[in-house]
């Protein structure tokens, strides 16, 4: 299977879709109804109100939306890696790795605010990379801030990714204070229009303009199943990090910057569960996009090839046992 996804052929888009459906089938068999959390933003609450009305006529609406987001993210990540030549040959391994690791826990297949934010952050990643070596990029930088502001309007703790955006700007471009201020203006724009809406309607919720962030340790229910899932996520990630480091000297400067952006993305996403504590793992889905990029390096570069095959089939077997025999779904 990994050998098939090492090739860049249009048929792999269809194969990626089929693989995703097969390993995520329980999400359609046992549909999950999302709820509104204390950290969900005003846009997410408004979106859910609309979707709940449609869900009465479409029982599988939320699983279909969640799967569509996951598949789109897998394709976007693959396109980013291939377009920027961040690996030595174009392939579909990033998308395969993403659909695989998001199947380890049920919460990573739920329609949720963090899943929506993950799509927005991928768009930000594309635009951030396009600002490299651009003498004038004020419009793109405003769009980056605007997208991050929309992400905060869906999931308030994603404001933490402002740290990632400003660090990424420092990596990709010379420091210009006016560009940073433009980015900050973009972040505040959705809240500005929401404040205008509240004033016009006279019945809005002003508390939605204030961040609902509480710092603490994430509440994690430990189990053997969780330990195995973490192991299957971390081993290919560490191997992928080794292969990236091994090939770093042969990479072009913009490719090195791309891996730096993904690493900063990963570190910021790891901090997010500490400002949004809870007993579910929905927030951790934001970690998986950069994780999948490093997993793809393991599947492409590992020698002997049996190592990557063992990791892949061990992951598939765990997913099937977890879903159908374990307590996963």
């Amino acid at each position: 299977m990994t050998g098939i996804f090492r090739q860049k052929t249009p048929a792999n888009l269809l194969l990626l879709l089929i693989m995703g459906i097969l390993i995520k089938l329980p999400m359609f068999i046992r549909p999950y109804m999302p709820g509104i959390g204390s950290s969900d933003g005003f846009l997410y609450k408004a979106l859910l109100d609309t979707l709940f009305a449609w869900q009465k006529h479409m029982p599988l609406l939320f699983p279909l939306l969640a799967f569509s987001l996951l598949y789109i993210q897998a394709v976007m990540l693959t396109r980013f890696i291939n377009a920027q030549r961040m690996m030595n040959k174009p392939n579909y391994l990033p998308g395969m790795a993403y659909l695989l690791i998001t199947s380890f826990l049920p919460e990573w297949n739920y329609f949720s605010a963090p899943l929506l934010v993950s799509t927005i952050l991928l768009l930000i990643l594309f635009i951030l990379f396009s600002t490299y070596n651009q003498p004038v990029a004020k419009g793109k930088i405003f769009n980056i801030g605007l997208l991050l502001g929309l992400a905060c309007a869906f999931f308030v703790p994603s404001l933490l990714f402002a740290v990632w955006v400003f660090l990424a700007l420092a990596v990709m471009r010379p420091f210009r204070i006016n560009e940073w201020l433009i980015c900050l203006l973009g972040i505040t724009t959705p809240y500005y229009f929401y404040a205008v809406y509240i004033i016009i309607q006279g019945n809005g919720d002003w508390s939605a303009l204030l961040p609902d962030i509480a710092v603490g340790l994430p509440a994690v229910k430990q189990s053997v199943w969780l330990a195995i899932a973490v192991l299957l996520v971390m081993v290919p990630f560490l191997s992928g990090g080794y292969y990236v480091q091994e090939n770093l000297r042969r990479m072009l400067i913009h490719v090195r910057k791309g891996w730096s952006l993904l690493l900063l993305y990963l570190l910021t996403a790891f901090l997010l569960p500490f400002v949004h504590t809870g007993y579910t793992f929905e927030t951790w889905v934001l970690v998986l996009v950069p994780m999948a990029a490093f997993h793809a390096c393991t599947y492409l570069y590992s020698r002997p090839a049996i190592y990557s095959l063992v990791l892949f089939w061990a992951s598939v077997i765990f997913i099937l046992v977890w879903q159908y025999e374990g307590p996963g779904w």
Side-chain angles (χ1 to χ4, degrees):
M1 186 64 74
T2 56
I4 295 174
F5 285 111
R6 285 183 183 179
Q7 311 300 318
K8 188 188 177 185
T9 61
N12 276 345
L13 277 174
L14 178 60
L15 187 59
L16 198 65
L17 178 64
I18 295 171
M19 188 197 84
I21 293 173
L22 291 177
I23 63 176
K24 296 180 181 294
L25 197 57
M27 69 186 292
F28 299 101
I29 298 174
R30 304 179 185 90
Y32 170 77
M33 290 292 291
I36 297 176
S38 59
S39 297
D40 294 335
F42 60 89
L43 273 184
Y44 183 69
K45 294 175 183 177
L47 177 63
L48 273 192
D49 288 341
T50 303
L51 293 178
F52 277 135
W54 295 353
Q55 193 270 337
K56 296 177 182 177
H57 309 287
M58 296 178 60
L60 294 179
L61 175 63
F62 288 112
L64 286 171
L65 288 175
F67 180 81
S68 299
L69 286 172
L70 289 167
Y71 180 72
I72 289 170
Q73 290 167 18
V75 174
M76 288 175 66
L77 178 62
T78 301
R79 183 181 176 186
F80 174 78
I81 297 291
N82 291 337
Q84 308 306 332
R85 300 181 180 179
M86 294 179 65
M87 301 172 75
N88 64 9
K89 59 178 291 188
N91 57 79
Y92 278 83
L93 291 172
M96 182 206 76
Y98 185 70
L99 290 180
L100 196 64
I101 61 178
T102 52
S103 303
F104 285 163
L105 296 178
E107 290 89 346
W108 295 340
N109 299 273
Y110 294 164
F111 182 82
S112 63
L115 189 60
L116 286 168
V117 169
S118 187
T119 309
I120 296 174
L121 292 177
L122 271 168
L123 288 172
I124 293 175
L125 183 64
F126 272 89
I127 302 174
L128 274 170
F129 211 92
S130 69
T131 63
Y132 180 64
N133 273 346
Q134 293 289 320
V136 179
K138 293 179 181 178
K140 292 181 178 180
I141 291 173
F142 177 80
N143 291 337
I144 289 168
L146 181 61
L147 285 170
L148 184 57
L150 289 173
C152 297
F154 281 112
F155 186 59
V156 178
S158 58
L159 180 62
L160 187 64
F161 279 95
V163 177
W164 170 60
V165 166
F166 288 120
L167 287 175
L169 287 175
V171 170
M172 301 301 293
R173 302 181 58 76
F175 174 74
R176 296 186 178 97
I177 186 63
N178 61 331
E179 292 182 350
W180 286 42
L181 292 175
I182 288 171
C183 184
L184 188 61
L185 178 64
I187 294 173
T188 58
T189 297
Y191 288 89
Y192 169 78
F193 283 106
Y194 184 66
V196 172
Y197 168 79
I198 290 176
I199 293 172
I200 293 175
Q201 295 293 322
N203 58 354
D205 182 12
W206 285 100
S207 63
L209 297 175
L210 302 174
D212 184 13
I213 296 176
V215 178
L217 293 175
V220 177
K221 295 180 179 179
Q222 299 183 9
S223 68
V224 175
W225 294 99
L226 178 60
I228 298 173
V230 171
L231 183 69
L232 290 173
V233 169
M234 293 306 299
V235 169
F237 164 69
L238 294 174
S239 301
Y242 167 77
Y243 291 121
V244 170
Q245 185 66 31
E246 190 179 50
N247 291 277
L248 205 59
R249 293 182 180 180
R250 297 191 290 269
M251 295 178 182
L252 299 174
I253 294 176
H254 76 281
V255 176
R256 297 180 192 176
K257 289 180 180 290
W259 284 110
S260 298
L261 258 61
L262 284 173
L263 186 58
L264 290 171
Y265 182 159
L266 178 64
L267 294 175
T268 308
F270 265 125
L271 294 175
L272 201 62
F274 293 91
V275 298
H276 177 66
T277 57
Y279 288 96
T280 65
F281 294 93
E282 292 177 17
T283 307
W284 292 92
V285 74
L286 292 165
V287 176
L288 301 183
V289 167
M291 277 281 189
F294 286 95
H295 277 224
C297 291
T298 296
Y299 290 123
L300 182 65
Y301 296 124
S302 62
R303 295 293 181 273
I306 189 66
Y307 175 64
S308 61
L309 286 174
V310 168
L311 287 174
F312 174 80
W313 288 112
S315 299
V316 171
I317 291 170
F318 170 77
I319 290 168
L320 295 177
V321 174
W322 167 262
Q323 291 176 349
Y324 295 104
E325 298 296 332
W329 295 82

Coordinates of all heavy atoms in Angstrom, one line a residue, residues 37-94:
G37 N -19.1 23.7 23.2 CA -18.3 23.8 24.4 C -18.1 25.3 24.8 O -18.4 26.2 24.1
S38 N -17.5 25.5 26.0 CA -17.3 26.8 26.5 C -16.3 27.6 25.7 O -16.3 28.8 25.7 CB -16.8 26.7 28.0 OG -15.6 26.0 28.1
S39 N -15.4 26.9 25.0 CA -14.3 27.6 24.2 C -14.7 27.8 22.7 O -13.9 28.3 22.0 CB -13.0 26.8 24.3 OG -12.5 26.8 25.6
D40 N -15.9 27.3 22.4 CA -16.3 27.5 21.0 C -16.7 28.9 20.7 O -17.4 29.5 21.6 CB -17.5 26.5 20.7 CG -17.1 25.1 20.7 OD1 -15.8 24.8 20.5 OD2 -17.9 24.2 20.9
G41 N -16.3 29.4 19.5 CA -16.6 30.8 19.2 C -18.0 31.1 18.7 O -18.8 30.1 18.4
F42 N -18.3 32.3 18.5 CA -19.7 32.7 18.0 C -20.0 32.2 16.6 O -21.1 31.9 16.3 CB -19.9 34.2 18.1 CG -18.9 35.0 17.3 CD1 -19.3 35.4 16.0 CD2 -17.7 35.5 17.8 CE1 -18.4 36.1 15.2 CE2 -16.9 36.3 17.0 CZ -17.2 36.6 15.7
L43 N -19.0 32.1 15.8 CA -19.3 31.6 14.4 C -19.6 30.1 14.4 O -20.5 29.6 13.7 CB -18.1 31.8 13.5 CG -18.0 33.2 12.8 CD1 -16.8 33.2 11.8 CD2 -19.2 33.5 12.0
Y44 N -18.9 29.4 15.3 CA -19.2 27.9 15.4 C -20.6 27.7 16.0 O -21.3 26.8 15.5 CB -18.1 27.2 16.2 CG -18.3 25.7 16.3 CD1 -18.1 24.9 15.2 CD2 -18.7 25.1 17.5 CE1 -18.2 23.5 15.3 CE2 -18.9 23.7 17.6 CZ -18.6 23.0 16.5 OH -18.8 21.6 16.6
K45 N -21.0 28.5 16.9 CA -22.3 28.3 17.5 C -23.4 28.6 16.5 O -24.4 27.9 16.4 CB -22.4 29.3 18.7 CG -21.5 28.9 19.9 CD -21.6 29.9 21.0 CE -20.6 29.5 22.1 NZ -20.6 30.6 23.2
A46 N -23.2 29.7 15.7 CA -24.1 30.0 14.7 C -24.2 28.9 13.6 O -25.3 28.6 13.1 CB -23.8 31.4 14.0
L47 N -23.0 28.4 13.3 CA -23.0 27.3 12.3 C -23.7 26.1 12.7 O -24.5 25.4 12.0 CB -21.5 27.0 11.9 CG -21.3 25.8 11.0 CD1 -21.9 26.1 9.6 CD2 -19.8 25.5 10.8
L48 N -23.5 25.7 14.0 CA -24.2 24.5 14.5 C -25.7 24.7 14.6 O -26.5 23.8 14.3 CB -23.7 24.2 16.0 CG -22.4 23.3 16.1 CD1 -22.2 22.9 17.5 CD2 -22.5 22.1 15.1
D49 N -26.1 25.9 14.9 CA -27.6 26.1 14.9 C -28.2 25.9 13.5 O -29.3 25.3 13.4 CB -27.9 27.6 15.3 CG -27.6 27.8 16.8 OD1 -27.6 26.8 17.6 OD2 -27.4 29.0 17.2
T50 N -27.5 26.3 12.5 CA -28.0 26.0 11.1 C -27.9 24.6 10.8 O -28.9 24.0 10.2 CB -27.1 26.9 10.1 OG1 -27.2 28.2 10.5 CG2 -27.6 26.7 8.7
L51 N -26.8 23.9 11.1 CA -26.6 22.5 10.8 C -27.6 21.6 11.5 O -28.0 20.6 11.0 CB -25.2 22.1 11.0 CG -24.1 22.7 10.1 CD1 -22.7 22.3 10.5 CD2 -24.4 22.4 8.7
F52 N -27.9 21.9 12.7 CA -28.9 21.1 13.5 C -30.2 21.1 12.8 O -31.0 20.1 12.8 CB -29.0 21.6 14.9 CG -27.9 21.1 15.8 CD1 -27.3 22.0 16.7 CD2 -27.5 19.8 15.8 CE1 -26.3 21.5 17.6 CE2 -26.5 19.3 16.7 CZ -25.9 20.2 17.6
A53 N -30.6 22.2 12.2 CA -31.9 22.3 11.5 C -31.8 21.4 10.2 O -32.8 20.7 9.9 CB -32.2 23.7 11.1
W54 N -30.7 21.3 9.6 CA -30.6 20.4 8.4 C -30.4 19.0 8.8 O -30.8 18.1 8.1 CB -29.3 20.8 7.6 CG -29.4 22.2 7.0 CD1 -30.5 23.0 6.9 CD2 -28.4 22.9 6.3 NE1 -30.2 24.2 6.3 CE2 -28.9 24.2 5.9 CE3 -27.1 22.6 6.0 CZ2 -28.2 25.1 5.1 CZ3 -26.3 23.6 5.3 CH2 -26.9 24.8 4.9
Q55 N -29.8 18.7 9.9 CA -29.6 17.4 10.4 C -30.8 16.5 10.6 O -30.8 15.3 10.4 CB -28.7 17.4 11.7 CG -28.1 16.1 12.1 CD -29.0 15.2 12.9 OE1 -29.9 15.8 13.6 NE2 -28.8 13.9 13.0
K56 N -31.9 17.2 10.8 CA -33.2 16.5 11.0 C -33.6 15.8 9.7 O -34.3 14.7 9.8 CB -34.3 17.5 11.4 CG -34.1 18.2 12.7 CD -35.1 19.2 13.0 CE -34.9 19.9 14.4 NZ -35.9 20.9 14.7
H57 N -33.2 16.3 8.6 CA -33.5 15.7 7.3 C -32.4 14.8 6.8 O -32.6 14.0 5.8 CB -33.9 16.7 6.3 CG -34.9 17.7 6.8 ND1 -36.2 17.4 6.9 CD2 -34.8 19.0 7.2 CE1 -36.9 18.4 7.4 NE2 -36.1 19.4 7.6
M58 N -31.2 15.0 7.3 CA -30.0 14.2 6.9 C -29.3 13.7 8.1 O -28.4 14.3 8.7 CB -29.0 15.2 6.1 CG -29.6 15.7 4.8 SD -28.4 16.8 4.0 CE -27.0 15.7 3.7
P59 N -29.6 12.5 8.6 CA -29.0 11.9 9.8 C -27.5 11.8 9.7 O -26.8 11.9 10.8 CB -29.7 10.6 9.9 CG -30.9 10.7 9.1 CD -30.6 11.6 8.0
L60 N -26.9 11.6 8.5 CA -25.5 11.5 8.4 C -24.8 12.8 8.0 O -23.6 12.7 7.6 CB -25.2 10.4 7.3 CG -25.6 9.0 7.7 CD1 -25.2 8.0 6.5 CD2 -24.9 8.5 8.9
L61 N -25.4 13.9 8.3 CA -24.8 15.2 7.9 C -23.5 15.4 8.6 O -22.5 15.7 7.9 CB -25.8 16.3 8.3 CG -25.3 17.7 8.0 CD1 -25.0 17.9 6.5 CD2 -26.3 18.8 8.5
F62 N -23.4 15.2 9.9 CA -22.2 15.6 10.6 C -21.0 14.6 10.3 O -19.9 15.1 10.1 CB -22.4 15.6 12.1 CG -23.2 16.8 12.5 CD1 -24.5 16.7 13.0 CD2 -22.7 18.1 12.4 CE1 -25.3 17.8 13.4 CE2 -23.4 19.2 12.8 CZ -24.7 19.1 13.3
P63 N -21.3 13.3 10.2 CA -20.2 12.4 9.7 C -19.7 12.7 8.3 O -18.5 12.7 8.0 CB -20.8 11.0 9.8 CG -21.9 11.1 10.8 CD -22.4 12.5 10.6
L64 N -20.6 13.1 7.4 CA -20.2 13.5 6.0 C -19.4 14.7 6.0 O -18.4 14.8 5.3 CB -21.5 13.6 5.2 CG -22.2 12.4 4.7 CD1 -23.5 12.7 4.1 CD2 -21.3 11.5 3.8
L65 N -19.8 15.7 6.8 CA -19.0 16.9 6.9 C -17.6 16.7 7.5 O -16.6 17.2 7.0 CB -19.8 18.0 7.8 CG -21.0 18.6 7.1 CD1 -21.7 19.5 8.1 CD2 -20.6 19.4 5.9
A66 N -17.6 15.9 8.6 CA -16.3 15.6 9.2 C -15.4 14.8 8.3 O -14.2 15.2 8.1 CB -16.5 14.8 10.5
F67 N -15.9 13.8 7.6 CA -15.1 13.1 6.6 C -14.6 14.0 5.5 O -13.4 13.9 5.0 CB -15.8 11.9 6.1 CG -15.0 11.1 5.1 CD1 -14.1 10.1 5.6 CD2 -15.2 11.2 3.7 CE1 -13.3 9.4 4.7 CE2 -14.4 10.5 2.8 CZ -13.5 9.6 3.3
S68 N -15.5 14.8 5.0 CA -15.1 15.7 3.9 C -14.0 16.7 4.3 O -13.0 16.9 3.6 CB -16.3 16.6 3.5 OG -17.4 15.8 3.0
L69 N -14.0 17.2 5.6 CA -13.0 18.0 6.1 C -11.7 17.3 6.2 O -10.6 17.8 5.8 CB -13.3 18.6 7.4 CG -14.4 19.7 7.4 CD1 -14.8 20.1 8.8 CD2 -13.9 21.0 6.7
L70 N -11.7 16.0 6.7 CA -10.5 15.2 6.8 C -9.9 14.9 5.5 O -8.7 15.0 5.3 CB -10.8 13.9 7.6 CG -11.1 14.1 9.1 CD1 -11.7 12.8 9.7 CD2 -9.9 14.5 9.9
Y71 N -10.7 14.6 4.5 CA -10.2 14.2 3.2 C -9.6 15.5 2.5 O -8.6 15.4 1.9 CB -11.3 13.6 2.3 CG -10.9 13.3 0.9 CD1 -10.1 12.2 0.7 CD2 -11.3 14.0 -0.2 CE1 -9.7 11.8 -0.6 CE2 -10.9 13.7 -1.5 CZ -10.0 12.6 -1.6 OH -9.6 12.3 -2.9
I72 N -10.3 16.6 2.6 CA -9.8 17.9 2.0 C -8.5 18.2 2.7 O -7.5 18.7 2.0 CB -10.9 19.0 2.2 CG1 -12.1 18.7 1.3 CG2 -10.2 20.4 1.9 CD1 -13.2 19.6 1.6
Q73 N -8.4 18.1 4.0 CA -7.1 18.4 4.6 C -6.0 17.5 4.2 O -4.8 17.9 4.0 CB -7.3 18.3 6.2 CG -8.2 19.4 6.8 CD -8.6 19.1 8.2 OE1 -8.0 18.2 8.9 NE2 -9.6 19.7 8.6
A74 N -6.3 16.2 4.0 CA -5.3 15.2 3.5 C -4.8 15.6 2.1 O -3.6 15.6 1.8 CB -5.9 13.8 3.5
V75 N -5.7 16.1 1.2 CA -5.3 16.5 -0.1 C -4.6 17.8 -0.1 O -3.6 17.9 -0.8 CB -6.6 16.6 -1.0 CG1 -6.2 17.2 -2.4 CG2 -7.3 15.3 -1.2
M76 N -5.0 18.7 0.8 CA -4.3 20.0 0.9 C -2.8 19.8 1.4 O -1.9 20.4 0.9 CB -5.0 20.9 1.8 CG -6.3 21.5 1.3 SD -7.3 22.5 2.5 CE -6.1 23.9 2.7
L77 N -2.7 19.0 2.4 CA -1.3 18.7 2.9 C -0.5 18.1 1.9 O 0.7 18.5 1.7 CB -1.4 17.8 4.2 CG -0.1 17.4 4.8 CD1 0.6 18.6 5.3 CD2 -0.3 16.4 5.9
T78 N -1.0 17.1 1.1 CA -0.3 16.5 0.0 C 0.1 17.5 -1.0 O 1.3 17.5 -1.5 CB -1.1 15.4 -0.6 OG1 -1.5 14.4 0.4 CG2 -0.3 14.7 -1.7
R79 N -0.8 18.3 -1.4 CA -0.5 19.4 -2.4 C 0.6 20.3 -1.9 O 1.5 20.7 -2.7 CB -1.8 20.1 -2.7 CG -1.6 21.2 -3.8 CD -2.8 21.9 -4.1 NE -2.6 22.9 -5.1 CZ -3.5 23.8 -5.5 NH1 -4.7 23.8 -5.0 NH2 -3.2 24.8 -6.4
F80 N 0.5 20.7 -0.6 CA 1.5 21.6 -0.1 C 2.9 21.0 -0.2 O 3.9 21.6 -0.6 CB 1.2 22.0 1.3 CG 2.2 22.9 2.0 CD1 2.4 24.2 1.7 CD2 3.1 22.3 2.9 CE1 3.4 25.0 2.3 CE2 4.1 23.0 3.5 CZ 4.2 24.4 3.2
I81 N 3.0 19.8 0.3 CA 4.3 19.1 0.4 C 4.9 18.9 -1.1 O 6.1 19.1 -1.3 CB 4.2 17.7 1.0 CG1 3.8 17.8 2.5 CG2 5.5 16.9 0.9 CD1 4.8 18.4 3.4
N82 N 4.0 18.5 -2.0 CA 4.5 18.3 -3.4 C 4.8 19.6 -4.1 O 5.8 19.7 -4.8 CB 3.5 17.5 -4.2 CG 3.3 16.1 -3.7 OD1 4.2 15.5 -3.1 ND2 2.2 15.5 -4.0
A83 N 4.0 20.6 -3.9 CA 4.2 21.9 -4.6 C 5.5 22.6 -4.2 O 6.1 23.2 -5.0 CB 3.0 22.8 -4.4
Q84 N 5.8 22.5 -2.9 CA 7.0 23.1 -2.4 C 8.2 22.2 -2.4 O 9.3 22.6 -2.0 CB 6.7 23.6 -0.9 CG 5.5 24.4 -0.7 CD 5.5 25.6 -1.7 OE1 6.5 26.1 -2.1 NE2 4.3 26.1 -2.0
R85 N 8.0 21.0 -3.0 CA 9.1 20.0 -3.2 C 9.9 19.8 -1.8 O 11.1 19.8 -1.8 CB 10.1 20.5 -4.2 CG 9.5 20.7 -5.6 CD 10.5 21.2 -6.6 NE 9.8 21.4 -7.9 CZ 10.4 21.9 -9.0 NH1 11.7 22.2 -8.9 NH2 9.8 22.0 -10.1
M86 N 9.1 19.5 -0.8 CA 9.7 19.3 0.5 C 10.1 17.9 0.7 O 10.7 17.6 1.7 CB 8.6 19.7 1.6 CG 8.3 21.2 1.6 SD 7.1 21.7 2.8 CE 8.0 21.3 4.3
M87 N 9.9 17.0 -0.3 CA 10.4 15.6 -0.3 C 11.0 15.4 -1.6 O 10.8 16.2 -2.6 CB 9.3 14.6 0.0 CG 8.6 14.9 1.4 SD 7.1 13.9 1.7 CE 7.9 12.3 2.0
N88 N 11.9 14.4 -1.7 CA 12.7 14.3 -2.9 C 11.9 13.8 -4.2 O 12.5 13.7 -5.3 CB 13.9 13.4 -2.7 CG 13.5 12.0 -2.3 OD1 12.4 11.6 -2.4 ND2 14.5 11.2 -1.9
K89 N 10.7 13.4 -4.0 CA 9.8 13.1 -5.1 C 8.4 13.3 -4.7 O 8.0 13.1 -3.6 CB 10.0 11.6 -5.5 CG 9.7 10.6 -4.4 CD 9.9 9.2 -4.9 CE 8.9 8.8 -5.9 NZ 8.9 7.3 -6.2
P90 N 7.5 13.7 -5.7 CA 6.1 13.9 -5.4 C 5.4 12.6 -5.1 O 5.7 11.5 -5.7 CB 5.5 14.5 -6.7 CG 6.7 14.9 -7.5 CD 7.9 14.1 -7.1
N91 N 4.5 12.6 -4.1 CA 3.8 11.4 -3.7 C 2.6 11.7 -2.9 O 2.3 12.9 -2.7 CB 4.8 10.5 -2.8 CG 5.2 11.3 -1.6 OD1 4.5 11.4 -0.6 ND2 6.5 11.8 -1.6
Y92 N 1.8 10.7 -2.6 CA 0.6 10.9 -1.8 C 0.7 10.3 -0.4 O -0.3 10.1 0.3 CB -0.6 10.2 -2.5 CG -1.2 11.0 -3.7 CD1 -0.6 11.0 -4.9 CD2 -2.3 11.8 -3.5 CE1 -1.1 11.8 -6.0 CE2 -2.8 12.6 -4.5 CZ -2.2 12.6 -5.7 OH -2.7 13.4 -6.8
L93 N 1.9 10.2 0.1 CA 2.1 9.6 1.4 C 1.6 10.6 2.5 O 1.1 10.1 3.5 CB 3.6 9.3 1.6 CG 4.1 8.1 0.8 CD1 5.6 8.0 0.9 CD2 3.4 6.8 1.2
P94 N 1.8 11.9 2.4 CA 1.2 12.8 3.5 C -0.3 12.6 3.7 O -0.8 12.5 4.8 CB 1.6 14.2 3.0 CG 2.8 14.0 2.1 CD 2.5 12.7 1.4

